[in-house]
Amino acid sequence: MSRRIAYFDCPTGIAGDMCLGALLDAGLPLDYLEQQLAGLGLADAFGLRAERVHRNGQAGLKLHVELPTVTQEPPTFEGATFEGHHHHHHGTRHLPEIETMIQGANLSQRATDWSLRVFRRLAAAEGAVHGISPDRVHFHEVGATDAIVDIVGTCIGLDWFEVDQIFCSALPSGGGTVKAAHGRLPVPVPAVLKLLEMGGVMMYDNGIQRELVTPTGAALMVTLAESFGSVPAMRLQHTGLGAGTQELPIPNLLRLWLGEIEERLAGGDRVCVLETQLDDTTPQVIGYTCDRLFEMGALDVLTQPVQMKKFRPGILLTVICPPEKQGICEQVIFQETTTLGIRQRLQQRSILHRRLETVTVDGQPVRVKIATDGRGAVVNVQPEYEDVAAIARIQQRPWQQVQQQAREAWVNSG
């Protein structure tokens, strides 16, 4: 079994138009993109033009979102106006309006979900910066037509390539200041800094004192990328280079790597591990919290006694969950315990392929979990605990005896 991987390599940062340009350069058909974007109801409000350009001698694709000429003075908005990425100001939109546009666009379910998640994350960051609720945020350049095209178009492109997992390199911080509606702002600008904080993004200084990460680029990666760092092991199939607007000391190109990863070569999948110590929580609360975590999709929940500072006895709570369940599991831990912080890390795990088969023991069905390796050889056979226990209780027989009978029934079934 293989998974499609997308890796965004961002030596000069990331912007929404660079993401979309890289996808087009990798093979996303422009006519398909235009057809899908037409569902937004903005067909008369923009046009797309792809241009082959050079950045420091290297070729890349620059996507232009061309808007009607505006003769009146642009309005003043709550947020900042950013230079360098040609975001035009054609009125403001709020999050509910943008959500309605996306939901009515007749996109694939995955492209719809991704687009909504990106805009909701962006609204949460802008709201935190301005001290208002996400629904009240006035989207300016990030809510204008060209940025809606950048975000939704990128989600359409990733879905067209049937990408299963998205990764991103560490992001350059940039530096200096940019002109905003209310004066000059330091780089990274407030909304971008909040997004990077929300995503726990790995950052570094590449020595370029310019705005390198835009709100749309940050929102896309913080929302969609599983992690930030080195490229994962993959069988490379396609590459794309999306050109930025600015001329920089190094080629201003976003590099998109598309490939596949074999699960048996990758050694399994990735899980999120959450940990926290508790020294003032009762056993009843711990038990209830563990139940809630399993209900929310945790793969496993562990507790063990530890000795904390000042020799206080405590409990180490460890939760293993799929990466997409990290947020809801953290929410349960914060709601149900007294912890003030949770450590988190993504880890690779090796797993066997598993399937369920059903056998009959004394006329009762028992599910049996079959584990096989990458070659299909059976490694382990385990009857499901609950099914075995039900028969043992009814017949008042030892659990181990029923379990062995179920195993034998599976072997005899061939």
Short mmCIF file of all heavy atoms in Angstrom, two decimals, residues 347-389:
data_model
loop_
_atom_site.label_atom_id
_atom_site.label_comp_id
_atom_site.label_asym_id
_atom_site.label_seq_id
_atom_site.Cartn_x
_atom_site.Cartn_y
_atom_site.Cartn_z
N GLN A 347 5.80 10.90 16.09
CA GLN A 347 6.74 9.78 16.02
C GLN A 347 6.32 8.82 14.92
O GLN A 347 5.13 8.63 14.66
CB GLN A 347 6.79 9.04 17.36
CG GLN A 347 7.45 9.81 18.47
CD GLN A 347 7.69 8.95 19.70
OE1 GLN A 347 6.95 8.00 19.96
NE2 GLN A 347 8.71 9.27 20.46
N GLN A 348 7.32 8.22 14.29
CA GLN A 348 7.07 7.16 13.33
C GLN A 348 6.89 5.86 14.09
O GLN A 348 7.57 5.60 15.08
CB GLN A 348 8.26 7.03 12.37
CG GLN A 348 7.98 6.18 11.15
CD GLN A 348 7.27 6.95 10.07
OE1 GLN A 348 7.22 8.17 10.12
NE2 GLN A 348 6.73 6.24 9.10
N ARG A 349 5.94 5.03 13.69
CA ARG A 349 5.78 3.73 14.33
C ARG A 349 5.75 2.65 13.26
O ARG A 349 5.26 2.85 12.15
CB ARG A 349 4.51 3.68 15.18
CG ARG A 349 3.21 3.74 14.40
CD ARG A 349 2.01 3.41 15.27
NE ARG A 349 0.78 3.46 14.50
CZ ARG A 349 -0.40 3.05 14.94
NH1 ARG A 349 -0.50 2.57 16.17
NH2 ARG A 349 -1.48 3.13 14.18
N SER A 350 6.27 1.49 13.61
CA SER A 350 6.22 0.32 12.74
C SER A 350 4.98 -0.48 13.09
O SER A 350 4.73 -0.77 14.26
CB SER A 350 7.47 -0.54 12.93
OG SER A 350 8.63 0.19 12.60
N ILE A 351 4.19 -0.82 12.09
CA ILE A 351 2.95 -1.55 12.34
C ILE A 351 2.83 -2.71 11.38
O ILE A 351 3.38 -2.69 10.28
CB ILE A 351 1.71 -0.64 12.20
CG1 ILE A 351 1.63 -0.04 10.81
CG2 ILE A 351 1.69 0.43 13.26
CD1 ILE A 351 0.36 0.74 10.55
N LEU A 352 2.13 -3.75 11.83
CA LEU A 352 1.78 -4.86 10.98
C LEU A 352 0.43 -4.59 10.33
O LEU A 352 -0.41 -3.90 10.91
CB LEU A 352 1.72 -6.16 11.80
CG LEU A 352 3.02 -6.63 12.43
CD1 LEU A 352 2.77 -7.80 13.36
CD2 LEU A 352 4.04 -7.02 11.35
N HIS A 353 0.23 -5.11 9.15
CA HIS A 353 -1.09 -5.01 8.52
C HIS A 353 -2.07 -5.89 9.29
O HIS A 353 -1.74 -7.01 9.70
CB HIS A 353 -1.00 -5.45 7.05
CG HIS A 353 -0.11 -4.60 6.23
ND1 HIS A 353 -0.47 -3.36 5.77
CD2 HIS A 353 1.16 -4.81 5.79
CE1 HIS A 353 0.52 -2.83 5.07
NE2 HIS A 353 1.53 -3.69 5.07
N ARG A 354 -3.28 -5.36 9.49
CA ARG A 354 -4.26 -6.09 10.31
C ARG A 354 -5.58 -6.23 9.57
O ARG A 354 -6.00 -5.32 8.84
CB ARG A 354 -4.48 -5.35 11.63
CG ARG A 354 -3.32 -5.48 12.59
CD ARG A 354 -3.34 -4.41 13.65
NE ARG A 354 -2.87 -3.14 13.10
CZ ARG A 354 -2.71 -2.04 13.81
NH1 ARG A 354 -2.98 -2.05 15.09
NH2 ARG A 354 -2.27 -0.94 13.24
N ARG A 355 -6.23 -7.36 9.81
CA ARG A 355 -7.59 -7.57 9.29
C ARG A 355 -8.36 -8.42 10.30
O ARG A 355 -7.76 -9.10 11.14
CB ARG A 355 -7.56 -8.27 7.93
CG ARG A 355 -7.10 -9.72 7.98
CD ARG A 355 -7.13 -10.36 6.60
NE ARG A 355 -6.88 -11.81 6.64
CZ ARG A 355 -5.69 -12.36 6.62
NH1 ARG A 355 -4.60 -11.59 6.56
NH2 ARG A 355 -5.55 -13.68 6.66
N LEU A 356 -9.67 -8.34 10.25
CA LEU A 356 -10.53 -9.11 11.15
C LEU A 356 -11.24 -10.22 10.38
O LEU A 356 -11.75 -10.00 9.27
CB LEU A 356 -11.58 -8.20 11.80
CG LEU A 356 -11.10 -7.33 12.97
CD1 LEU A 356 -12.23 -6.43 13.44
CD2 LEU A 356 -10.57 -8.17 14.13
N GLU A 357 -11.23 -11.42 10.95
CA GLU A 357 -12.02 -12.53 10.45
C GLU A 357 -12.89 -13.04 11.59
O GLU A 357 -12.59 -12.80 12.77
CB GLU A 357 -11.11 -13.64 9.90
CG GLU A 357 -10.27 -13.19 8.71
CD GLU A 357 -9.39 -14.30 8.16
OE1 GLU A 357 -9.50 -15.46 8.67
OE2 GLU A 357 -8.60 -14.04 7.24
N THR A 358 -13.95 -13.77 11.26
CA THR A 358 -14.87 -14.27 12.27
C THR A 358 -14.91 -15.78 12.24
O THR A 358 -15.04 -16.40 11.17
CB THR A 358 -16.28 -13.70 12.05
OG1 THR A 358 -16.23 -12.28 12.09
CG2 THR A 358 -17.24 -14.18 13.14
N VAL A 359 -14.78 -16.40 13.43
CA VAL A 359 -14.93 -17.85 13.59
C VAL A 359 -16.08 -18.12 14.55
O VAL A 359 -16.61 -17.20 15.18
CB VAL A 359 -13.62 -18.49 14.11
CG1 VAL A 359 -12.48 -18.23 13.14
CG2 VAL A 359 -13.27 -17.95 15.49
N THR A 360 -16.47 -19.38 14.65
CA THR A 360 -17.57 -19.77 15.54
C THR A 360 -17.04 -20.66 16.65
O THR A 360 -16.33 -21.66 16.39
CB THR A 360 -18.67 -20.50 14.76
OG1 THR A 360 -19.16 -19.64 13.73
CG2 THR A 360 -19.82 -20.88 15.69
N VAL A 361 -17.36 -20.32 17.88
CA VAL A 361 -16.98 -21.11 19.05
C VAL A 361 -18.26 -21.47 19.79
O VAL A 361 -18.95 -20.59 20.32
CB VAL A 361 -16.02 -20.34 19.97
CG1 VAL A 361 -15.74 -21.15 21.25
CG2 VAL A 361 -14.72 -20.03 19.24
N ASP A 362 -18.60 -22.78 19.80
CA ASP A 362 -19.82 -23.24 20.46
C ASP A 362 -21.04 -22.44 19.99
O ASP A 362 -21.89 -22.04 20.80
CB ASP A 362 -19.68 -23.17 21.99
CG ASP A 362 -18.62 -24.11 22.52
OD1 ASP A 362 -18.27 -25.08 21.81
OD2 ASP A 362 -18.12 -23.90 23.64
N GLY A 363 -21.10 -22.20 18.70
CA GLY A 363 -22.24 -21.51 18.13
C GLY A 363 -22.22 -20.00 18.28
O GLY A 363 -23.16 -19.32 17.81
N GLN A 364 -21.19 -19.43 18.88
CA GLN A 364 -21.10 -17.99 19.09
C GLN A 364 -19.99 -17.40 18.21
O GLN A 364 -18.91 -17.99 18.07
CB GLN A 364 -20.79 -17.67 20.57
CG GLN A 364 -21.84 -18.18 21.54
CD GLN A 364 -23.17 -17.49 21.35
OE1 GLN A 364 -23.23 -16.29 21.10
NE2 GLN A 364 -24.24 -18.26 21.45
N PRO A 365 -20.25 -16.23 17.59
CA PRO A 365 -19.22 -15.62 16.74
C PRO A 365 -18.10 -15.00 17.57
O PRO A 365 -18.34 -14.38 18.60
CB PRO A 365 -19.98 -14.55 15.97
CG PRO A 365 -21.12 -14.18 16.88
CD PRO A 365 -21.49 -15.44 17.62
N VAL A 366 -16.88 -15.17 17.10
CA VAL A 366 -15.71 -14.55 17.73
C VAL A 366 -14.88 -13.90 16.63
O VAL A 366 -14.49 -14.57 15.66
CB VAL A 366 -14.85 -15.58 18.49
CG1 VAL A 366 -13.59 -14.91 19.05
CG2 VAL A 366 -15.65 -16.21 19.63
N ARG A 367 -14.62 -12.60 16.77
CA ARG A 367 -13.75 -11.91 15.82
C ARG A 367 -12.29 -12.21 16.16
O ARG A 367 -11.91 -12.21 17.34
CB ARG A 367 -13.99 -10.41 15.87
CG ARG A 367 -15.36 -9.98 15.36
CD ARG A 367 -15.65 -8.54 15.73
NE ARG A 367 -15.71 -8.39 17.19
CZ ARG A 367 -15.71 -7.21 17.82
NH1 ARG A 367 -15.61 -6.09 17.12
NH2 ARG A 367 -15.79 -7.17 19.14
N VAL A 368 -11.50 -12.45 15.13
CA VAL A 368 -10.09 -12.77 15.29
C VAL A 368 -9.27 -11.75 14.50
O VAL A 368 -9.52 -11.55 13.30
CB VAL A 368 -9.77 -14.20 14.82
CG1 VAL A 368 -8.28 -14.50 15.01
CG2 VAL A 368 -10.62 -15.21 15.56
N LYS A 369 -8.32 -11.11 15.17
CA LYS A 369 -7.46 -10.12 14.51
C LYS A 369 -6.23 -10.84 13.96
O LYS A 369 -5.47 -11.46 14.71
CB LYS A 369 -7.05 -9.03 15.49
CG LYS A 369 -6.25 -7.89 14.87
CD LYS A 369 -5.89 -6.85 15.91
CE LYS A 369 -7.14 -6.14 16.42
NZ LYS A 369 -6.80 -5.09 17.43
N ILE A 370 -6.01 -10.70 12.65
CA ILE A 370 -4.90 -11.34 11.96
C ILE A 370 -3.88 -10.27 11.60
O ILE A 370 -4.20 -9.31 10.90
CB ILE A 370 -5.36 -12.06 10.68
CG1 ILE A 370 -6.65 -12.87 10.93
CG2 ILE A 370 -4.24 -12.92 10.13
CD1 ILE A 370 -6.52 -13.92 11.98
N ALA A 371 -2.64 -10.44 12.05
CA ALA A 371 -1.57 -9.48 11.75
C ALA A 371 -0.59 -10.12 10.77
O ALA A 371 -0.13 -11.25 11.00
CB ALA A 371 -0.85 -9.07 13.03
N THR A 372 -0.28 -9.40 9.67
CA THR A 372 0.63 -9.92 8.66
C THR A 372 1.73 -8.90 8.37
O THR A 372 1.55 -7.70 8.58
CB THR A 372 -0.12 -10.22 7.34
OG1 THR A 372 -0.77 -9.03 6.87
CG2 THR A 372 -1.18 -11.29 7.57
N ASP A 373 2.86 -9.39 7.88
CA ASP A 373 3.96 -8.49 7.54
C ASP A 373 3.80 -8.00 6.10
O ASP A 373 2.79 -8.27 5.44
CB ASP A 373 5.31 -9.16 7.76
CG ASP A 373 5.51 -10.40 6.89
OD1 ASP A 373 4.78 -10.55 5.89
OD2 ASP A 373 6.40 -11.22 7.20
N GLY A 374 4.81 -7.27 5.61
CA GLY A 374 4.72 -6.69 4.28
C GLY A 374 4.65 -7.72 3.17
O GLY A 374 4.21 -7.41 2.06
N ARG A 375 5.06 -8.96 3.43
CA ARG A 375 5.00 -10.02 2.42
C ARG A 375 3.70 -10.81 2.51
O ARG A 375 3.48 -11.73 1.73
CB ARG A 375 6.19 -10.96 2.59
CG ARG A 375 7.55 -10.29 2.42
CD ARG A 375 8.67 -11.30 2.52
NE ARG A 375 8.65 -11.99 3.81
CZ ARG A 375 9.23 -11.52 4.91
NH1 ARG A 375 9.87 -10.36 4.87
NH2 ARG A 375 9.18 -12.20 6.03
N GLY A 376 2.87 -10.47 3.50
CA GLY A 376 1.60 -11.17 3.66
C GLY A 376 1.65 -12.36 4.59
O GLY A 376 0.64 -13.04 4.79
N ALA A 377 2.82 -12.63 5.18
CA ALA A 377 2.94 -13.76 6.10
C ALA A 377 2.29 -13.44 7.44
O ALA A 377 2.44 -12.34 7.97
CB ALA A 377 4.41 -14.11 6.32
N VAL A 378 1.55 -14.41 8.00
CA VAL A 378 0.87 -14.22 9.28
C VAL A 378 1.90 -14.19 10.40
O VAL A 378 2.72 -15.11 10.53
CB VAL A 378 -0.17 -15.33 9.52
CG1 VAL A 378 -0.78 -15.19 10.92
CG2 VAL A 378 -1.26 -15.27 8.47
N VAL A 379 1.86 -13.14 11.20
CA VAL A 379 2.79 -12.97 12.31
C VAL A 379 2.11 -13.23 13.65
O VAL A 379 2.70 -13.78 14.57
CB VAL A 379 3.39 -11.55 12.30
CG1 VAL A 379 4.30 -11.33 13.50
CG2 VAL A 379 4.15 -11.30 11.01
N ASN A 380 0.83 -12.84 13.76
CA ASN A 380 0.14 -12.96 15.04
C ASN A 380 -1.35 -13.17 14.79
O ASN A 380 -1.91 -12.63 13.84
CB ASN A 380 0.36 -11.70 15.88
CG ASN A 380 0.12 -11.93 17.35
OD1 ASN A 380 -0.38 -12.97 17.76
ND2 ASN A 380 0.49 -10.95 18.16
N VAL A 381 -1.96 -13.94 15.67
CA VAL A 381 -3.40 -14.20 15.62
C VAL A 381 -3.96 -14.00 17.02
O VAL A 381 -3.54 -14.69 17.95
CB VAL A 381 -3.71 -15.64 15.13
CG1 VAL A 381 -5.22 -15.90 15.14
CG2 VAL A 381 -3.12 -15.86 13.74
N GLN A 382 -4.88 -13.07 17.16
CA GLN A 382 -5.43 -12.76 18.48
C GLN A 382 -6.95 -12.65 18.43
O GLN A 382 -7.48 -11.74 17.79
CB GLN A 382 -4.84 -11.44 19.02
CG GLN A 382 -3.40 -11.52 19.48
CD GLN A 382 -3.23 -12.39 20.71
OE1 GLN A 382 -4.18 -12.65 21.44
NE2 GLN A 382 -2.00 -12.83 20.95
N PRO A 383 -7.68 -13.56 19.09
CA PRO A 383 -9.14 -13.38 19.21
C PRO A 383 -9.45 -12.12 20.02
O PRO A 383 -8.70 -11.76 20.94
CB PRO A 383 -9.59 -14.64 19.96
CG PRO A 383 -8.47 -15.64 19.73
CD PRO A 383 -7.22 -14.83 19.66
N GLU A 384 -10.54 -11.44 19.64
CA GLU A 384 -10.92 -10.21 20.32
C GLU A 384 -11.33 -10.50 21.76
O GLU A 384 -12.14 -11.41 22.03
CB GLU A 384 -12.06 -9.52 19.58
CG GLU A 384 -11.64 -8.89 18.27
CD GLU A 384 -10.74 -7.69 18.47
OE1 GLU A 384 -11.25 -6.60 18.78
OE2 GLU A 384 -9.51 -7.84 18.32
N TYR A 385 -10.80 -9.71 22.68
CA TYR A 385 -11.01 -9.94 24.11
C TYR A 385 -12.49 -9.97 24.46
O TYR A 385 -12.96 -10.87 25.18
CB TYR A 385 -10.30 -8.85 24.91
CG TYR A 385 -10.69 -8.85 26.38
CD1 TYR A 385 -10.08 -9.71 27.28
CD2 TYR A 385 -11.68 -7.99 26.85
CE1 TYR A 385 -10.45 -9.73 28.62
CE2 TYR A 385 -12.06 -7.99 28.19
CZ TYR A 385 -11.45 -8.86 29.07
OH TYR A 385 -11.82 -8.88 30.39
N GLU A 386 -13.27 -8.97 24.00
CA GLU A 386 -14.67 -8.87 24.40
C GLU A 386 -15.48 -10.08 23.98
O GLU A 386 -16.34 -10.56 24.73
CB GLU A 386 -15.30 -7.59 23.82
CG GLU A 386 -14.75 -6.29 24.37
CD GLU A 386 -13.47 -5.86 23.67
OE1 GLU A 386 -13.00 -6.62 22.77
OE2 GLU A 386 -12.94 -4.79 23.99
N ASP A 387 -15.22 -10.60 22.76
CA ASP A 387 -15.97 -11.76 22.28
C ASP A 387 -15.65 -13.01 23.10
O ASP A 387 -16.54 -13.80 23.43
CB ASP A 387 -15.66 -12.01 20.80
CG ASP A 387 -16.12 -10.86 19.92
OD1 ASP A 387 -16.81 -9.96 20.42
OD2 ASP A 387 -15.77 -10.87 18.71
N VAL A 388 -14.36 -13.19 23.41
CA VAL A 388 -13.95 -14.34 24.22
C VAL A 388 -14.54 -14.23 25.63
O VAL A 388 -15.05 -15.21 26.20
CB VAL A 388 -12.42 -14.43 24.27
CG1 VAL A 388 -11.97 -15.51 25.26
CG2 VAL A 388 -11.86 -14.72 22.88
N ALA A 389 -14.47 -13.02 26.20
CA ALA A 389 -14.98 -12.83 27.56
C ALA A 389 -16.48 -13.10 27.64
O ALA A 389 -16.97 -13.67 28.64
CB ALA A 389 -14.68 -11.41 28.03
#
